[in-house]
Amino acid sequence: MTVIAVLGAGKIGEALLGGLLQGGRGAEELLFTERHPERAAELTARYGIAGVEVAEAAKRADVLVVAVKPQDIEPVLAELAPLVGPGSLVVSLCAGLPTSLYERRLPEGVPVVRVMPNTPMVVGEAMSAVSPGRHATAGHVALVKEMLATVGQVVEVPESQQDAVTALSGSGPAYFFFLVEAMIDAGILLGLPRAVAEKLIIQSAVGAAKMLADTDEHPVILREAVTSPAGTTINAIRELEKHGVRAALLAAIEAARDRSVQLGKAHE
């Protein structure tokens, strides 16, 4: 039996625990740590999983999933350092933090796998990218992929691409939410009730995403299918291009990538 402990049971940590249960793992195979006793009691009542201290998690678990905020990583690593060894697998869900940080702070030989998930994990539709550290084997990566497959889709990328992944898919849901928010506001501006505008845009977004996923067509082809000559859509596209929406989005994702790089360098 492989025991998995999630260190930090926030939204992502809880979503992973729920996915692992739904994927067939028993509650006795899972542990979590949580600083707030009320939150810990709530999770135990909801899932039947034991909440423990970090030291207990390190002692009992084969896999330690670090799901704390990047700024909170140092005390966690300081607590783990005397407790883990090469027999433990450390999985980092912390944005911007490289495997080299864990390898410096933890004993020699501890395998580390870096993961960049995103918040659709809470509805079982995450996009996660995994990258092995120096001591992680193909078996370690396979185990992590198996875990993450319970909450969405998984790809493996070189760690040199993780900052780009963070900017693109890690932060990506926020860009979609921002766009949907603006489109709902546009519907209200055009005289639609908010509830109607929300339903129109949310279902349009769901349907468009499903078309992208199911048809395997390039987004340009799908967009052109909606864009009739001299029609309404091409006039809207012209305004988007006139206002530099494409360039702004490229610049925004580059800025997110740069911030991810900074988060990693802050712990060098």
Side-chain angles (χ1 to χ4, degrees), residues 21-267:
L21 284 173
Q22 291 183 354
R25 292 188 182 272
E28 71 279 2
E29 300 175 75
L30 303 173
L31 303 167
F32 71 88
T33 69
E34 170 56 49
R35 288 183 298 180
H36 304 288
E38 300 84 0
R39 168 73 172 165
E42 174 190 330
L43 292 174
T44 297
R46 184 177 301 159
Y47 300 106
I49 300 171
V52 298
E53 298 297 325
V54 171
E56 182 71 8
K59 177 182 177 182
R60 294 172 54 184
D62 305 290
V63 181
L64 295 163
V65 180
V66 183
V68 301
K69 294 178 180 178
Q71 59 266 33
D72 296 332
I73 190 61
E74 292 294 346
V76 173
L77 291 179
E79 195 166 359
L80 287 178
L83 302 172
V84 299
S88 302
L89 170 60
V90 175
V91 180
S92 171
L93 304 188
C94 303
L97 302 187
T99 57
S100 59
L101 167 66
Y102 294 83
E103 291 164 352
R104 287 196 307 272
R105 300 289 197 276
L106 300 177
E108 178 66 25
V110 173
V112 181
V113 175
R114 177 177 175 179
V115 178
M116 187 65 245
N118 59 16
T119 57
M121 184 182 286
V122 302
V123 293
E125 293 291 347
M127 184 68 252
S128 301
V130 305
S131 302
R134 288 191 302 124
H135 306 297
T137 66
H140 292 130
V141 173
L143 174 58
V144 175
K145 286 182 176 179
E146 177 190 333
M147 291 164 50
L148 294 169
T150 65
V151 287
Q153 297 191 39
V154 191
V155 296
E156 182 176 351
V157 300
E159 188 169 7
S160 60
Q161 295 177 2
Q162 277 284 5
D163 292 314
V165 168
T166 300
L168 195 63
S169 67
S171 299
Y175 314 146
F176 285 102
F177 298 147
F178 185 86
L179 179 60
V180 166
E181 178 189 0
M183 293 176 74
I184 290 171
D185 286 344
I188 296 169
L189 179 66
L190 296 177
L192 294 172
R194 176 175 292 276
V196 173
E198 286 181 354
K199 189 171 184 63
L200 289 169
I201 295 307
I202 292 171
Q203 182 55 36
S204 295
V206 170
K210 188 168 178 58
M211 288 179 71
L212 283 166
D214 291 355
T215 65
D216 205 30
E217 293 279 10
H218 193 282
V220 169
I221 301 299
L222 295 175
R223 178 181 60 77
E224 288 180 346
V226 188
T227 311
S228 304
T232 58
T233 306
I234 190 61
N235 276 274
I237 296 295
R238 180 185 65 181
E239 289 300 314
L240 291 172
E241 295 290 10
K242 186 188 299 184
H243 287 83
V245 172
R246 187 188 304 266
L249 188 57
L250 292 172
I253 293 172
E254 284 187 323
R257 186 273 319 274
D258 294 344
R259 179 55 180 156
S260 180
V261 172
Q262 289 173 355
L263 287 171
K265 288 184 176 179
H267 295 276

